[in-house]
Amino acid sequence: MPRDELRDFETYAAVRWPRLLRTAYLLTNGDHHEAEDLVQVTLAKIYLRWSHIRTLDAPDQYVRRALINNNTTRQRKRRVVQLLTPHLPEQRSPTGDAGRPDSYDTRSELFAALATLPPRQRAIVVLRYWECLSEQQTAHILGCSVGTVKSQASRALKKLRSSAALSEYAATMTHGE
Protein backbone atom coordinates (compact mmCIF):
# COMPACT_ATOMS: atom_id res chain seq x y z
CA MET A 1 0.00 0.00 0.00
CA PRO A 2 1.44 3.42 -0.92
CA ARG A 3 2.41 5.70 1.92
CA ASP A 4 -0.37 8.25 1.28
CA GLU A 5 -3.03 5.50 1.28
CA LEU A 6 -1.62 4.13 4.52
CA ARG A 7 -1.77 7.58 6.13
CA ASP A 8 -5.32 8.02 4.83
CA PHE A 9 -6.39 4.69 6.32
CA GLU A 10 -4.72 5.45 9.66
CA THR A 11 -6.49 8.80 9.82
CA TYR A 12 -9.83 7.25 8.88
CA ALA A 13 -9.47 4.48 11.48
CA ALA A 14 -8.44 6.90 14.24
CA VAL A 15 -11.30 9.30 13.56
CA ARG A 16 -13.98 6.61 13.15
CA TRP A 17 -12.81 4.34 16.01
CA PRO A 18 -15.04 5.81 18.77
CA ARG A 19 -18.22 5.66 16.71
CA LEU A 20 -17.46 2.17 15.39
CA LEU A 21 -16.73 1.03 18.94
CA ARG A 22 -20.05 2.41 20.23
CA THR A 23 -21.93 0.63 17.46
CA ALA A 24 -20.01 -2.61 18.04
CA TYR A 25 -20.66 -2.31 21.79
CA LEU A 26 -24.38 -2.42 21.16
CA LEU A 27 -24.10 -5.18 18.58
CA THR A 28 -22.12 -7.34 21.03
CA ASN A 29 -24.63 -6.93 23.87
CA GLY A 30 -22.52 -4.48 25.82
CA ASP A 31 -19.33 -6.53 25.85
CA HIS A 32 -16.54 -3.96 25.56
CA HIS A 33 -13.83 -6.52 24.79
CA GLU A 34 -15.89 -8.23 22.08
CA ALA A 35 -16.70 -4.81 20.64
CA GLU A 36 -13.02 -3.87 20.43
CA ASP A 37 -12.22 -7.20 18.79
CA LEU A 38 -15.07 -6.74 16.32
CA VAL A 39 -13.87 -3.26 15.32
CA GLN A 40 -10.27 -4.46 15.01
CA VAL A 41 -11.25 -7.40 12.80
CA THR A 42 -13.40 -5.12 10.66
CA LEU A 43 -10.63 -2.54 10.26
CA ALA A 44 -8.12 -5.27 9.43
CA LYS A 45 -10.36 -6.54 6.64
CA ILE A 46 -11.03 -3.03 5.40
CA TYR A 47 -7.32 -2.27 5.35
CA LEU A 48 -6.86 -4.97 2.72
CA ARG A 49 -9.33 -3.25 0.37
CA TRP A 50 -8.71 0.35 1.43
CA SER A 51 -7.53 1.51 -2.01
CA HIS A 52 -11.00 0.65 -3.34
CA ILE A 53 -13.05 1.64 -0.28
CA ARG A 54 -11.57 5.12 -0.01
CA THR A 55 -12.87 5.92 -3.51
CA LEU A 56 -16.50 5.03 -2.68
CA ASP A 57 -19.12 7.75 -2.35
CA ALA A 58 -20.04 6.51 1.13
CA PRO A 59 -17.18 4.54 2.71
CA ASP A 60 -18.83 4.77 6.14
CA GLN A 61 -21.80 2.74 4.91
CA TYR A 62 -19.43 0.09 3.59
CA VAL A 63 -17.60 -0.01 6.92
CA ARG A 64 -20.84 -0.23 8.94
CA ARG A 65 -22.04 -3.08 6.73
CA ALA A 66 -18.70 -4.86 7.20
CA LEU A 67 -19.01 -4.39 10.98
CA ILE A 68 -22.49 -5.92 10.99
CA ASN A 69 -21.42 -8.80 8.73
CA ASN A 70 -18.42 -9.54 10.95
CA ASN A 71 -20.67 -9.52 14.00
CA THR A 72 -23.08 -11.94 12.36
CA THR A 73 -20.17 -14.23 11.46
CA ARG A 74 -18.86 -13.97 15.03
CA GLN A 75 -22.24 -14.99 16.43
CA ARG A 76 -22.56 -17.95 14.09
CA LYS A 77 -19.13 -19.25 15.03
CA ARG A 78 -19.67 -18.87 18.76
CA ARG A 79 -20.09 -22.37 20.12
CA VAL A 80 -18.75 -22.06 23.64
CA VAL A 81 -20.48 -19.92 26.21
CA GLN A 82 -18.01 -17.59 27.84
CA LEU A 83 -17.90 -17.85 31.59
CA LEU A 84 -16.41 -14.41 32.14
CA THR A 85 -18.71 -11.43 32.43
CA PRO A 86 -18.31 -8.65 29.87
CA HIS A 87 -17.97 -6.01 32.60
CA LEU A 88 -17.06 -5.70 36.23
CA PRO A 89 -20.00 -5.87 38.56
CA GLU A 90 -20.88 -2.40 39.73
CA GLN A 91 -22.70 -1.59 42.91
CA ARG A 92 -26.27 -0.48 42.61
CA SER A 93 -26.53 3.19 43.35
CA PRO A 94 -27.59 3.84 46.95
CA THR A 95 -28.92 7.29 45.96
CA GLY A 96 -31.91 5.80 44.14
CA ASP A 97 -31.02 6.97 40.65
CA ALA A 98 -32.00 3.61 39.13
CA GLY A 99 -34.68 5.25 36.97
CA ARG A 100 -32.26 7.58 35.26
CA PRO A 101 -31.51 6.59 31.63
CA ASP A 102 -27.74 6.63 32.25
CA SER A 103 -27.77 4.62 35.50
CA TYR A 104 -26.02 1.28 35.63
CA ASP A 105 -29.26 -0.60 36.35
CA THR A 106 -31.07 0.98 33.42
CA ARG A 107 -28.18 0.36 31.03
CA SER A 108 -27.99 -3.27 32.16
CA GLU A 109 -31.71 -3.73 31.57
CA LEU A 110 -31.47 -2.11 28.14
CA PHE A 111 -28.53 -4.32 27.12
CA ALA A 112 -30.26 -7.44 28.43
CA ALA A 113 -33.39 -6.59 26.44
CA LEU A 114 -31.35 -5.76 23.34
CA ALA A 115 -29.59 -9.12 23.66
CA THR A 116 -32.94 -10.91 23.30
CA LEU A 117 -33.35 -9.62 19.75
CA PRO A 118 -32.20 -11.67 16.76
CA PRO A 119 -29.00 -10.27 15.15
CA ARG A 120 -30.78 -8.60 12.22
CA GLN A 121 -33.35 -6.88 14.42
CA ARG A 122 -30.60 -5.80 16.81
CA ALA A 123 -28.63 -4.34 13.89
CA ILE A 124 -31.70 -2.43 12.70
CA VAL A 125 -32.43 -1.05 16.17
CA VAL A 126 -28.80 0.00 16.62
CA LEU A 127 -28.58 1.67 13.21
CA ARG A 128 -31.99 3.37 13.38
CA TYR A 129 -32.15 4.49 16.99
CA TRP A 130 -28.53 4.62 18.16
CA GLU A 131 -26.82 5.74 14.96
CA CYS A 132 -29.91 7.86 14.02
CA LEU A 133 -29.90 6.63 10.43
CA SER A 134 -32.97 6.90 8.24
CA GLU A 135 -34.91 3.85 7.13
CA GLN A 136 -33.42 4.25 3.65
CA GLN A 137 -29.85 4.46 4.96
CA THR A 138 -30.38 1.44 7.20
CA ALA A 139 -31.87 -0.56 4.32
CA HIS A 140 -28.95 0.38 2.08
CA ILE A 141 -26.36 -0.66 4.69
CA LEU A 142 -28.10 -3.97 5.40
CA GLY A 143 -28.85 -4.68 1.75
CA CYS A 144 -32.59 -5.04 2.24
CA SER A 145 -35.75 -3.11 1.42
CA VAL A 146 -37.12 -0.18 3.39
CA GLY A 147 -40.19 -2.33 4.10
CA THR A 148 -37.98 -4.96 5.72
CA VAL A 149 -36.38 -2.30 7.92
CA LYS A 150 -39.81 -1.01 8.94
CA SER A 151 -41.25 -4.44 9.71
CA GLN A 152 -38.15 -5.68 11.55
CA ALA A 153 -37.93 -2.45 13.55
CA SER A 154 -41.60 -2.76 14.45
CA ARG A 155 -41.14 -6.36 15.60
CA ALA A 156 -38.02 -5.46 17.55
CA LEU A 157 -39.68 -2.54 19.30
CA LYS A 158 -42.70 -4.68 20.13
CA LYS A 159 -40.42 -7.29 21.67
CA LEU A 160 -38.47 -4.64 23.58
CA ARG A 161 -41.72 -3.10 24.87
CA SER A 162 -42.85 -6.51 26.14
CA SER A 163 -39.65 -6.89 28.16
CA ALA A 164 -40.55 -6.80 31.87
CA ALA A 165 -37.48 -4.78 32.79
CA LEU A 166 -38.08 -2.21 30.06
CA SER A 167 -41.82 -1.91 30.67
CA GLU A 168 -41.02 -1.06 34.30
CA TYR A 169 -38.49 1.52 33.08
CA ALA A 170 -40.98 2.98 30.58
CA ALA A 171 -43.66 3.26 33.28
CA THR A 172 -41.20 5.06 35.55
CA MET A 173 -40.26 7.49 32.77
CA THR A 174 -43.87 8.26 31.75
CA HIS A 175 -45.09 8.76 35.30
CA GLY A 176 -42.10 10.92 36.21
CA GLU A 177 -41.18 8.90 39.27
Side-chain angles (χ1 to χ4, degrees), residues 92-107:
R92 291 181 184 255
S93 174
T95 61
D97 67 346
R100 289 187 32 224
D102 61 341
S103 74
Y104 174 77
D105 293 336
T106 303
R107 282 193 321 268

Side-chain angles (χ1 to χ4, degrees), residues 29 49 54 70 98 139 154 167:
N29 303 322
R49 301 207 55 225
R54 72 187 278 211
N70 287 330
S154 175
S167 62

Side-chain angles (χ1 to χ4, degrees), residues 18-39:
R19 186 172 195 102
L20 290 171
L21 187 59
R22 283 191 303 267
T23 301
Y25 185 74
L26 292 171
L27 291 173
T28 60
N29 303 322
D31 186 329
H32 185 73
H33 301 290
E34 287 285 331
E36 282 185 338
D37 289 348
L38 179 59
V39 173

Side-chain angles (χ1 to χ4, degrees), residues 9-101:
F9 175 78
E10 288 172 347
T11 302
Y12 179 87
V15 169
R16 297 301 193 277
W17 177 267
R19 186 172 195 102
L20 290 171
L21 187 59
R22 283 191 303 267
T23 301
Y25 185 74
L26 292 171
L27 291 173
T28 60
N29 303 322
D31 186 329
H32 185 73
H33 301 290
E34 287 285 331
E36 282 185 338
D37 289 348
L38 179 59
V39 173
Q40 288 174 3
V41 166
T42 301
L43 288 175
K45 289 180 178 181
I46 288 191
Y47 172 78
L48 298 173
R49 301 207 55 225
W50 184 246
S51 59
H52 167 71
I53 295 167
R54 72 187 278 211
T55 63
L56 296 174
D57 290 336
D60 288 339
Q61 289 181 353
Y62 184 96
V63 173
R64 278 193 199 105
R65 179 65 187 182
L67 187 73
I68 290 167
N69 287 346
N70 287 330
N71 183 56
T72 303
T73 300
R74 178 190 66 84
Q75 288 176 329
R76 284 183 188 145
K77 289 181 178 179
R78 177 173 264 157
R79 289 186 175 88
V80 178
V81 176
Q82 293 183 352
L83 298 177
L84 301 175
T85 61
H87 47 71
L88 294 175
E90 295 181 30
Q91 297 294 325
R92 291 181 184 255
S93 174
T95 61
D97 67 346
R100 289 187 32 224

Side-chain angles (χ1 to χ4, degrees), residues 92 98-99 105-114 116 159-173:
R92 291 181 184 255
D105 293 336
T106 303
R107 282 193 321 268
S108 296
E109 291 164 357
L110 290 170
F111 285 130
L114 195 58
T116 65
K159 187 170 184 176
L160 290 174
R161 285 183 189 113
S162 70
S163 164
L166 291 183
S167 62
E168 182 180 309
Y169 168 73
T172 302
M173 294 309 287

